[in-house]
Amino acid sequence: MELDYSQKKFCLSNSENIRLLAPAGSGKTLSLLWRCKYLYEKRENKNIRFLVFTFTRVARDELKDVLANNSDFSEIKKVVRIETLNKWGLNYLRNSESGLEVKSGKRDFYFLVKNTLRPIWVDNSKLSVLLQKKQFKYDKIIQVFDALKSSGFRHDAKNLVEHFDEQHEWLIEQGCERYVQRNILQPLEELGFIQNSEGFGGKIKLFLDF
């Protein structure tokens, strides 16, 4: 299997830390295996292991299939481990703490908000009114939490309002304003935490007031 110039440059780089940026379909995923092969052959001591992370199961399965069936990688087949980042992270946590479970369904989200998180909101009158409504969508608030984390918002910032404003401005600069509107602001409005009449800063202040 032939590599083009840019792929070879990545695979044969002597840099310890290297970042590969390229468009979809350009061979980034496959280049990872060639990079592992080069580093393996370069070292005199073959006691080396590689951990390759993917963001999706599709990419993971594609890499595993190539590693298992392509003769170009037969010598590194036993030293390369391929996992999704989520799966590896979950296994790491399970090795550290017992009894951990993945909560993914509406029933799980309901019990998570109503029971596990209850000590956080039970003494807040505004939250209590909202969260104890029969029609409250518990799965949607969990989805907002996930969107906030995925967008780089931190709950432990010293000044939450200032941090939210700065992060929001950065997301707009990166072209992610529609994502924030659709996955954070709109659901918060639908759940009753913020109002349409407020700008982003005002909406976040209303949300944090809870």
Side-chain angles (χ1 to χ4, degrees):
M1 188 178 297
E2 291 293 326
L3 300 177
D4 62 26
Y5 171 76
S6 59
Q7 290 171 331
K8 287 180 179 178
K9 189 175 181 181
F10 165 74
C11 296
L12 304 179
S13 172
N14 290 318
S15 174
E16 290 187 3
N17 300 299
I18 184 170
R19 185 181 185 188
L20 176 63
L21 293 175
S26 59
K28 296 188 300 296
T29 304
L30 188 61
S31 294
L32 285 172
L33 292 181
W34 284 106
R35 175 72 175 161
C36 292
K37 180 177 180 177
Y38 166 70
L39 293 175
Y40 180 81
E41 293 176 342
K42 178 183 175 182
R43 287 184 57 135
E44 293 183 7
N45 179 5
K46 300 304 182 182
N47 187 24
I48 181 175
R49 298 291 182 272
F50 300 95
L51 177 58
V52 178
F53 288 132
T54 68
F55 286 105
T56 67
R57 286 174 289 187
V58 172
R60 176 202 61 192
D61 294 343
E62 177 189 347
L63 274 174
K64 284 187 173 183
D65 181 66
V66 173
L67 185 64
N69 300 303
N70 191 317
S71 59
D72 289 328
F73 305 114
S74 57
E75 63 181 335
I76 64 169
K77 188 183 302 185
K78 294 183 179 180
V79 299
V80 177
R81 176 183 173 187
I82 304 168
E83 296 281 3
T84 63
L85 187 58
N86 283 348
K87 180 64 178 298
W88 183 88
L90 179 60
N91 288 337
Y92 178 85
L93 291 174
R94 280 176 171 167
N95 289 333
S96 304
E97 298 287 341
S98 61
L100 292 179
E101 298 179 22
V102 175
K103 302 296 184 181
S104 58
K106 287 188 177 182
R107 182 178 177 84
D108 289 332
F109 295 153
Y110 173 83
F111 282 102
L112 180 62
V113 176
K114 288 284 284 186
N115 298 314
T116 307
L117 298 180
R118 186 178 182 83
I120 298 175
W121 58 262
V122 68
D123 293 328
N124 185 305
S125 58
K126 292 181 179 179
L127 279 175
S128 293
V129 170
L130 280 176
L131 296 179
Q132 296 190 67
K133 288 182 177 180
K134 290 184 178 180
Q135 68 271 26
F136 189 84
K137 299 179 179 178
Y138 296 95
D139 57 321
K140 181 162 288 188
I141 191 62
I142 295 296
Q143 290 168 9
V144 173
F145 292 164
D146 286 340
L148 287 167
K149 290 187 294 181
S150 299
S151 304
F153 290 99
R154 298 184 60 91
H155 69 279
D156 57 351
K158 291 184 179 179
N159 187 319
L160 283 175
V161 174
E162 182 179 323
H163 163 67
F164 269 66
D165 281 336
E166 290 177 353
Q167 187 64 16
H168 181 241
E169 289 179 8
W170 181 83
L171 288 167
I172 291 177
E173 292 174 1
Q174 307 308 311
C176 299
E177 186 171 11
R178 289 183 63 187
Y179 175 86
V180 173
Q181 180 64 39
R182 183 175 63 252
N183 295 285
I184 299 175
L185 298 183
Q186 186 176 328
L188 287 176
E189 290 171 1
E190 293 173 358
L191 291 170
F193 288 102
I194 56 180
Q195 300 171 358
N196 286 312
S197 60
E198 302 288 341
F200 179 80
K203 289 177 178 179
I204 292 303
K205 289 182 178 67
L206 285 171
F207 179 48
L208 296 179
D209 280 344
F210 278 89

